[in-house]
Amino acid sequence: MAEAWNGTEGVADTGYSAGVQNLNIFYDTGNMTFITMCSVLVLLMIPGVGFFYSGLARRKSALELLLMSLLCSSVVFFQWYFWGYSLTFSRTGNAFLGDLTMFGFINTVAAPSTGSADLPDILFALYQGMFAGITPVLAIGAIVDRGRIVPALVFTFIWTTIVYDPIAYWTWNGNGWLFALGSLDFAGGGPVHIASGTCALAYSLMLGKRTGYATNRGLPYRPHNVTNVVLGTVFLWVGWFGFNGGSALGMNIRAILACYNTNLAAAVAGLVWVLLDLRLDRKWSTIGFCSGAISGLVAITPAAGFVAPWGALVIGVVGGAACNLATKLKFLIGVDDALDIFAVHGVGGIVGNLLTGLFATSWVWDLDGLGPYPPLGWVDRNYVQLGYQLAGTCAAFAWSFVLTCLILFLLNLVPGLSLRASAEMEEIGMDDYQLGEFAYDYVEVTRHVSDLSDSSVGSTSEAATTTTEKRTETTVV
């Protein structure tokens, strides 16, 4: 059993105000080990997003998306150290945003964190920094086939500071207005998924449609590497155990139940999505199952530590179906959201946030051993909770969409930071234009099937195999 903290409280310091040499006596080693492992699992999700998006993209833009997952997260890890953690989790601040009392991790080592008195500041900062790191990575897939890297990286630093940090502060910091209101968000339905999904929608809108985009069905390209999509899905699914399980901030029964709920919702949503596609296309879709599993993981995120397993089952079914239908939204509103980031993360986050208001129950929260807690959702007859969830959902959506559009508009006016590549560069491909490297070692005979003569098509099967850039789309998710 750890000792009770006997140092300065309410003021950021290194922890040595406790007046003892061994500060580890104030923390449980098991909890620290668990959260450290969860931090590593969330880090695994970052390349998982890269593989997932890369597989969905065209071959000539595949490597850019893999690289962007690493570049963007690295920018955020610096931002988090620089001032992001302080703005989000400082001990003092108003209802809207924290201050800079922990700027550059000043006095951020071993004192109890604001998130949990059972964790030292440095460990909580590590764990929450992974959340901050993956959020813009989820959104940045919007640049596929047409966005430039340098403006995207500048945008990532600004967006994390102006959009992610405030929303996370409102949601998880005890001084935040959504926290004080009573809005529930276990692991990031608002700060992570609604914010990133809405950001991707706004980024796609501000970039404009890809060259050759057809208003009726989108570009005629299928995902170029389904194996990469499966690999990315597995990375994400495994990492999500740390994402949701670790959000209990300790090794307790609530953390275990959150992991179970996460797995159940993902499995059910994957089945729902693939069956909906089977009903229309009469074919089993690997891409459909992977997209469905991700939508279930997204939808259960705000609810994982608040609902019983039967609630997770319902959330998985509704989340998978809603996100599947939402993939048609881009055609209705005319926005080229090529990877359906808004449909999966934006809509999935909204569904999860709202259903948390229905199915959250206090007995699940009590499993962390720190209760008892008051009634939560409709199942506890706390009917006002849905209103609190709606407030959190609308706030995250509006703040992310409006600020993303404004940031991108201003960036595009800065010389050298134009958001979009030229049509000629789109034709060459982002990998060739911006990286000079390729996802695969191959010799390109010609770029389009239409460039092959009839005789060469008949006599050179290898050429036909290596030039299948333009194909009929079935579903792009």
Side-chain angles (χ1 to χ4, degrees):
M1 179 67 69
E3 297 286 337
W5 177 257
N6 64 359
T8 302
E9 295 184 0
V11 178
D13 63 23
T14 59
Y16 285 96
S17 59
V20 297
Q21 187 174 21
N22 181 13
L23 295 171
N24 295 285
I25 64 175
F26 300 118
Y27 305 105
D28 181 83
T29 303
N31 284 339
M32 290 197 293
T33 301
F34 176 64
I35 299 303
T36 301
M37 292 176 61
C38 287
S39 301
V40 175
L41 286 173
V42 179
L43 179 62
L44 180 68
M45 297 172 68
I46 292 173
V49 174
F51 277 112
F52 188 85
Y53 286 171
S54 175
L56 290 175
R58 298 163 66 186
R59 184 182 60 198
K60 62 183 181 181
S61 297
L63 190 60
E64 180 196 33
L65 294 178
L66 270 172
L67 177 62
M68 285 302 292
S69 70
L70 303 178
L71 290 177
C72 286
S73 59
S74 296
V75 167
V76 177
F77 293 153
F78 167 73
Q79 186 272 354
W80 195 246
Y81 163 79
F82 187 69
W83 61 22
Y85 181 63
S86 187
L87 292 174
T88 308
F89 289 108
S90 60
R91 293 169 174 79
T92 52
N94 53 38
F96 183 76
L97 190 63
D99 53 34
L100 295 178
T101 55
M102 301 162 77
F103 174 85
F105 274 34
I106 296 173
N107 296 324
T108 304
V109 180
S113 68
T114 56
S116 171
D118 294 329
L119 300 176
D121 249 340
I122 192 66
L123 178 54
F124 187 69
L126 171 67
Y127 182 64
Q128 287 295 336
M130 297 301 170
F131 281 60
I134 195 174
T135 302
V137 172
L138 293 171
I140 212 64
I143 72 171
V144 61
D145 284 334
R146 64 206 191 274
R148 296 177 62 237
I149 290 177
V150 172
L153 296 180
V154 176
F155 167 81
T156 296
F157 185 91
I158 298 172
W159 186 89
T160 306
T161 301
I162 296 179
V163 178
Y164 176 81
D165 291 348
I167 297 176
Y169 179 87
W170 306 342
T171 305
W172 291 322
N173 193 302
N175 298 318
W177 70 272
L178 280 176
F179 189 96
L181 180 67
S183 179
L184 301 174
D185 193 333
F186 185 66
V192 177
H193 296 296
I194 295 177
S196 64
T198 306
C199 172
L201 179 67
Y203 210 130
S204 299
L205 175 65
M206 297 301 289
L207 272 180
K209 299 174 183 177
R210 287 167 291 174
T211 302
Y213 185 90
T215 57
N216 59 339
R217 294 194 62 203
L219 279 170
Y221 300 112
R222 299 171 63 183
H224 91 282
N225 192 324
V226 178
T227 302
N228 274 0
V229 175
V230 174
L231 180 63
T233 302
V234 171
F235 277 18
L236 285 165
W237 198 327
V238 171
W240 230 289
F241 283 90
F243 197 82
N244 287 354
S247 292
L249 300 180
M251 186 65 263
N252 50 55
I253 300 174
R254 187 186 185 202
I256 299 170
L257 181 60
C259 289
Y260 184 83
N261 286 341
T262 298
N263 193 61
L264 179 62
V268 172
L271 292 173
V272 168
W273 189 303
V274 80
L275 290 175
L276 287 174
D277 284 357
L278 178 66
R279 176 180 60 88
L280 296 175
D281 300 329
R282 297 294 186 265
K283 290 183 182 294
W284 295 90
S285 171
T286 306
I287 295 290
F289 179 81
C290 292
S291 299
I294 300 301
S295 68
L297 292 167
V298 171
I300 196 60
T301 291
F306 294 120
V307 301
W310 67 264
L313 178 68
V314 176
I315 290 172
V317 171
V318 176
C323 293
N324 180 286
L325 296 175
T327 59
K328 311 302 185 294
L329 286 175
K330 62 178 180 286
F331 303 124
L332 295 177
I333 61 179
V335 175
D336 184 10
D337 182 11
L339 305 180
D340 282 330
I341 302 171
F342 176 72
V344 173
H345 293 277
V347 173
I350 291 170
V351 169
N353 255 14
L354 297 179
L355 292 184
T356 300
L358 300 183
F359 302 131
T361 180
S362 60
W363 73 262
V364 174
W365 198 354
D366 286 338
L367 293 175
D368 65 7
L370 302 176
Y373 297 101
L376 296 184
W378 280 26
V379 295
D380 285 346
R381 300 183 181 180
N382 182 34
Y383 301 112
V384 72
Q385 189 63 49
L386 184 60
Y388 298 156
Q389 299 304 113
L390 182 61
T393 298
C394 292
F397 186 101
W399 187 257
S400 181
F401 186 82
V402 173
L403 268 294
T404 299
C405 289
L406 180 60
I407 295 168
L408 291 171
F409 175 77
L410 294 176
L411 269 182
N412 205 42
L413 299 178
V414 178
L417 292 182
S418 57
L419 303 176
R420 181 163 179 163
S422 66
E424 292 76 17
M425 295 305 102
E426 286 186 57
E427 179 66 20
I428 292 173
M430 294 298 101
D431 291 355
D432 196 352
Y433 166 50
Q434 298 192 95
L435 276 62
E437 299 171 332
F438 304 92
Y440 311 99
D441 184 13
Y442 70 96
V443 177
E444 183 176 74
V445 178
T446 187
R447 188 163 295 278
H448 302 307
V449 173
S450 58
D451 295 335
L452 291 169
S453 65
D454 292 340
S455 59
S456 63
V457 170
S459 61
T460 314
S461 60
E462 180 181 354
T465 301
T466 59
T467 56
T468 55
E469 285 287 339
K470 291 195 173 182
R471 293 171 286 185
T472 303
E473 177 186 84
T474 54
T475 301
V476 178
V477 292

